[in-house]
């Protein structure tokens, strides 16, 4: 419990690392995730390499194509273990270079599932090439290889979880005061580019006759430039519950947040927004109902 709400409301936006439980500030979450996944290689190198592939390669289409191609390599081995050609992958192969080699974590995956690098002669030429070759011992563990393929295809990116930083304030005249740190307002380069695009579109439409619905829609879109929102719920006895949320989370998340804080969580309750408006549509996002 805090004495009052006059101090800075929160010191920043914080995240929880799902692998270690460590709480870090927003600008440190990527570094923490990277360190946690790196440490996980000593526990399960296959799982760790899969985490790297899905988490640190931001282009989702490239990841999809990469995983699809890697799965095909493993499928060929599983379905045709007697075929030696399927147990070799030429590293300079065009498809391998364009779809797999350029993505983070892929080489660690092949090594973790039982491939080793070998320099082999090119048939009919006085030259050699680099290959990944499946170790002989893996032929007796084909089911394990199939499971690794399924694991690779079904995995999702590792995401740090937003820390709610739940805080309870005693009744105070200063409770209406919000003081937020830059974390709530600073935008990334991508977000700035998006905002600039929205502003350009707004200027282009300024000369057009706009209906009320169009104006409201544009106002809602303007709210999308914020990623986070700090929300406070005042209880009938004057106590205030505070939490940090994504601006695009739904009102239902706030209902759950309040319910978890209640001693008797079975009690029904309503939440009223600014101006006394009932928050009845729990599917609405915070930035769609004036809570950002």
């Amino acid at each position: 419990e805090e004495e009052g709400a006059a101090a800075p409301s929160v010191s920043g936006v914080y995240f929880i690392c799902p692998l270690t439980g460590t709480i870090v500030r927003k600008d440190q979450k990527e570094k923490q995730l990277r360190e946690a996944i790196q440490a996980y290689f000593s526990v399960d190198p296959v799982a760790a390499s899969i985490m790297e592939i899905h988490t640190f390669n931001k282009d989702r289409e490239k990841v999809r194509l990469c995983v699809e191609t890697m799965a095909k390599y493993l499928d060929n081995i599983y379905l045709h273990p007697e075929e030696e050609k399927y147990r070799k992958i030429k590293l300079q192969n065009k498809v391998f270079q364009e779809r797999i080699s350029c993505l983070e974590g892929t080489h660690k995956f092949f090594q973790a599932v039982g491939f080793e690098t070998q320099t082999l002669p090119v048939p009919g030429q006085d030259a050699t090439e680099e290959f990944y070759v499946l170790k002989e011992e893996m032929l007796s563990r084909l089911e394990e290889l199939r499971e690794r393929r399924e694991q690779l295809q079904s995995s999702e990116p590792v995401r740090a979880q937003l820390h709610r930083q739940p805080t309870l304030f005693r009744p105070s005249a200063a409770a209406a005061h919000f003081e937020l740190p830059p974390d709530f307002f600073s935008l990334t380069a991508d977000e700035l580019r998006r905002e600039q695009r929205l502003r350009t579109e707004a200027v282009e439409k300024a000369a057009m006759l706009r209906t009320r619905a169009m104006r409201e829609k544009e106002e809602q879109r303007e709210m999308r430039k914020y990623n986070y929102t700090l929300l406070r719920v005042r209880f009938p006895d004057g106590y205030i519950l505070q939490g940090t949320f994504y601006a695009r989370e739904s009102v239902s998340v706030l209902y759950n947040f309040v319910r978890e804080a209640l001693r008797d969580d079975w009690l029904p309750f309503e939440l009223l927004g600014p101006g006394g408006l009932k928050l009845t549509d729990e599917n609405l996002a915070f930035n769609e109902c004036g809570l950002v």
Side-chain angles (χ1 to χ4, degrees):
E1 280 186 26
E2 300 287 342
E3 285 295 335
S9 308
V10 281
S11 60
V13 174
Y14 289 84
F15 287 82
I16 305 168
C17 175
L19 297 176
T20 64
T22 306
I23 297 172
V24 293
R25 194 151 179 165
K26 183 178 73 168
D27 58 359
Q28 291 294 309
K29 67 173 181 174
E30 288 296 325
K31 180 174 179 284
Q32 174 61 36
L33 274 180
R34 199 169 277 280
E35 289 175 356
I37 290 175
Q38 190 61 41
Y40 202 72
F41 271 96
S42 62
V43 179
D44 186 340
V46 177
S49 63
I50 290 173
M51 288 181 204
E52 280 197 349
I53 292 168
H54 284 280
T55 305
F56 299 131
N57 299 296
K58 302 304 181 185
D59 189 323
R60 303 314 303 159
E61 179 56 26
K62 282 187 177 179
V63 171
R64 185 195 65 78
L65 198 59
C66 167
V67 167
E68 193 178 89
T69 308
M70 292 170 74
K72 186 65 177 173
Y73 281 131
L74 300 183
D75 261 345
N76 284 338
I77 296 170
Y78 179 75
L79 296 172
H80 311 284
E82 71 287 347
E83 292 277 0
E84 185 183 353
K85 65 178 181 180
Y86 290 131
R87 304 200 297 271
K88 296 178 185 175
I89 302 171
K90 186 164 73 171
L91 298 189
Q92 293 306 311
N93 176 278
K94 188 171 185 289
V95 170
F96 187 85
Q97 285 289 315
E98 292 178 355
R99 295 187 183 183
I100 296 173
S101 190
C102 55
L103 270 66
E104 188 170 349
T106 53
H107 289 281
K108 292 177 184 175
F109 174 81
F110 279 111
Q111 292 158 12
V113 298
F115 285 85
E116 59 185 358
T117 308
Q118 288 188 18
T119 303
L120 301 175
V122 179
Q125 297 180 33
D126 187 20
T128 58
E129 286 184 326
E130 294 286 310
F131 285 82
Y132 273 144
V133 180
L134 189 69
K135 295 175 184 175
E136 198 71 31
E137 69 219 46
M138 292 306 298
L139 290 177
S140 61
R141 295 156 58 186
L142 290 175
E143 278 303 316
E144 181 183 321
L145 208 60
R146 184 181 64 83
E147 289 169 6
R148 296 307 195 186
R149 189 260 291 161
E150 291 176 356
Q151 186 180 354
L152 173 68
Q153 289 185 299
S154 62
S155 291
E156 297 287 337
V158 179
R159 295 282 182 251
Q161 180 186 351
L162 182 65
H163 186 23
R164 300 288 184 211
Q165 302 182 76
T167 310
L168 185 68
F169 294 104
R170 289 197 177 106
S172 164
H177 176 67
F178 273 70
E179 188 177 323
L180 296 179
D183 285 5
F184 280 82
F185 303 102
S186 56
L187 302 176
T188 65
D190 286 340
E191 290 162 353
L192 283 169
R193 279 192 286 270
R194 182 180 64 193
E195 184 181 353
Q196 180 59 39
R197 188 183 72 249
L198 293 178
R199 286 176 181 270
T200 303
E201 291 173 3
V203 169
E204 290 171 354
K205 290 181 178 178
M208 295 170 56
L209 183 64
R210 295 178 298 168
T211 65
R212 179 180 174 185
M214 287 173 66
R215 285 197 304 272
E216 288 176 351
K217 188 174 182 180
E218 286 178 15
E219 286 168 4
Q220 288 177 6
R221 187 171 59 182
E222 181 69 10
M223 296 306 291
R224 294 194 188 111
K225 69 182 179 183
Y226 297 107
N227 278 338
Y228 311 99
T229 180
L230 187 77
L231 297 179
R232 285 179 173 164
V233 178
R234 186 171 63 239
F235 286 78
D237 60 4
Y239 274 81
I240 288 176
L241 178 66
Q242 172 182 286
T244 302
F245 299 84
Y246 285 113
R248 287 173 287 278
E249 287 188 275
S250 65
V251 171
S252 62
V253 172
L254 183 60
Y255 270 92
N256 290 335
F257 178 70
V258 173
R259 191 171 288 111
E260 288 170 0
L262 296 176
R263 184 182 59 198
D264 300 319
D265 59 7
W266 52 268
L267 283 171
F269 64 88
E270 289 181 323
L271 293 179
L272 307 182
L277 186 69
K278 288 183 181 179
L279 299 176
T280 53
D281 187 351
E282 294 190 28
N283 293 318
L284 274 180
F286 296 134
N287 64 351
E288 294 175 328
C289 55
L291 293 178
V292 175

